[in-house]
Amino acid sequence: DAEITQSPRHKITETGRQVTLACHQTWNHNNMFWYRQDLGHGLRLIHYSYGVHDTNKGEVSDGYSVSRSNTEDLPLTLESAASSQTSVYFCASSVFGTGMNTGELFFGEGSRLTVL
Amino acid sequence: GENVEQHPSTLSVQEGDSAVIKCTYSDSASNYFPWYKQELGKRPQLIIDIRSNVGEKKDQRIAVTLNKTAKHFSLHITETQPEDSAVYFCAARSGNEKLTFGTGTRLTIIP
C-alpha cells in the first residue's frame, strides 16, 4: 500500500548540531509539506514543495531548510538546532490540484525532536 | 496570508450530547475547508471537508457548515461517543495548495 513515512520517529540532539528528518512518500504526490506541532500553536507550516527542485518557505521557516531532488522525498534539515526547535514534526503530501479540485492532505506519523 | 482562528481550545461534553467547534478565516479567496482529527500520539487524519460552493455537508454523526459571507465554518458532532475524544483541527486553503490550520480543540467526551 502507498504510504508516507518519517524517520527517525524520536530524536534527541544537542544545541548547535545539524539534524535531518526524512520524509518518504510512495503515492507519487507532487505536493509535500513540513509542519511543526506545538501546544497552543496547532500545526504551523515550515516549508513546502510543489514538485522536484521546487521549495518554498512557510510561516516558520527560519533555521530550517529542505531540498526536493525527487518526487518521493522531502528531507527537513535543521542547520544548527536550537531548544526552540524542540517539537513534533509532521510531513504531509497531497495530489496537485487547483482550487476546487485540491486533494486531501495525508500526514506521516510524526517525528518527535528534543534539543537539549 | 491566511489566518484561521479556532474556538474553543478545550471542550468537554457528556456522552450522547452534541459538540460544536467553530473557526473563522481571513482570506475571502479560500475555497476548501477540511477538518482533521488527531488521537493521542497519532497523526492528524481527515474526517470531513467542505468546498466553498456548498453550505453544509454531512457524514453520519459529523456535519460541517460554511458561511462564506461571515467567513466562518463549524464542525458539528452529534450523539458523541468516547472514541470522539481527540484534538480537532480546522483548516483553510486558497488556490495555492497550502493549508493553514487553526490552533486545535481538545474534545473530551465524559462517560
Side-chain angles (χ1 to χ4, degrees), chain B residues 45-83:
Chain B
Q45 292 190 299
L46 180 72
I47 55 171
I48 195 168
D49 57 14
I50 191 167
R51 300 180 192 275
S52 58
N53 59 344
V54 176
E56 183 176 4
K57 183 177 179 180
K58 290 183 179 180
D59 183 3
Q60 299 183 341
R61 297 185 297 106
I62 293 173
V64 58
T65 59
L66 172 65
N67 183 327
K68 288 179 60 180
T69 302
K71 290 190 284 188
H72 68 71
F73 56 112
S74 301
L75 177 71
H76 304 254
I77 306 174
T78 59
E79 301 174 8
T80 53
Q81 302 171 2
E83 54 265 36

Side-chain angles (χ1 to χ4, degrees), chain B residues 19-108:
Chain B
V20 180
I21 303 170
K22 299 181 179 181
C23 290
T24 60
Y25 62 99
S26 61
D27 187 351
S28 57
S30 289
N31 54 22
Y32 174 66
F33 307 91
W35 286 87
Y36 283 79
K37 176 183 180 181
Q38 185 180 27
E39 298 178 351
L40 189 62
K42 301 291 182 64
R43 73 187 84 188
Q45 292 190 299
L46 180 72
I47 55 171
I48 195 168
D49 57 14
I50 191 167
R51 300 180 192 275
S52 58
N53 59 344
V54 176
E56 183 176 4
K57 183 177 179 180
K58 290 183 179 180
D59 183 3
Q60 299 183 341
R61 297 185 297 106
I62 293 173
V64 58
T65 59
L66 172 65
N67 183 327
K68 288 179 60 180
T69 302
K71 290 190 284 188
H72 68 71
F73 56 112
S74 301
L75 177 71
H76 304 254
I77 306 174
T78 59
E79 301 174 8
T80 53
Q81 302 171 2
E83 54 265 36
D84 295 329
S85 291
V87 177
Y88 292 81
F89 292 98
C90 63
R93 174 159 51 196
S94 60
N96 62 357
E97 309 289 324
K98 290 189 302 175
L99 270 180
T100 300
F101 285 86
T103 50
T105 297
R106 181 174 299 280
L107 175 63
T108 301

Side-chain angles (χ1 to χ4, degrees), chain A:
Chain A
D1 289 340
E3 60 181 8
I4 180 167
T5 55
Q6 295 182 228
S7 63
R9 297 289 314 282
H10 301 274
K11 173 79 175 177
I12 300 174
T13 191
E14 295 178 343
T15 301
R17 291 192 180 270
Q18 183 180 83
V19 176
T20 296
L21 305 180
C23 176
H24 179 81
Q25 53 97 3
T26 58
W27 280 303
N28 202 35
H29 285 169
N30 289 93
N31 301 338
M32 294 186 73
F33 308 83
W34 274 104
Y35 288 89
R36 62 178 286 175
Q37 183 175 23
D38 305 285
L39 192 63
H41 293 279
L43 293 156
R44 293 182 292 175
L45 184 63
I46 306 171
H47 282 286
Y48 59 102
S49 168
Y50 292 149
V52 177
H53 302 310
D54 176 75
T55 61
N56 305 279
K57 293 181 179 180
E59 61 179 307
V60 291
S61 61
D62 288 349
Y64 303 94
S65 63
V66 294
S67 61
R68 187 89 180 271
S69 59
N70 57 52
T71 300
E72 296 80 18
D73 299 288
L74 186 70
L76 177 71
T77 297
L78 287 67
E79 300 293 343
S80 177
S83 57
S84 60
Q85 295 177 307
T86 292
S87 186
V88 178
Y89 292 86
F90 284 98
C91 179
S93 70
S94 68
V95 174
F96 182 81
T98 55
M100 306 291 277
N101 296 319
T102 306
E104 176 181 349
L105 194 65
F106 293 89
F107 285 87
E109 294 180 305
S111 295
R112 181 175 295 276
L113 176 67
T114 302
V115 183
L116 301 176

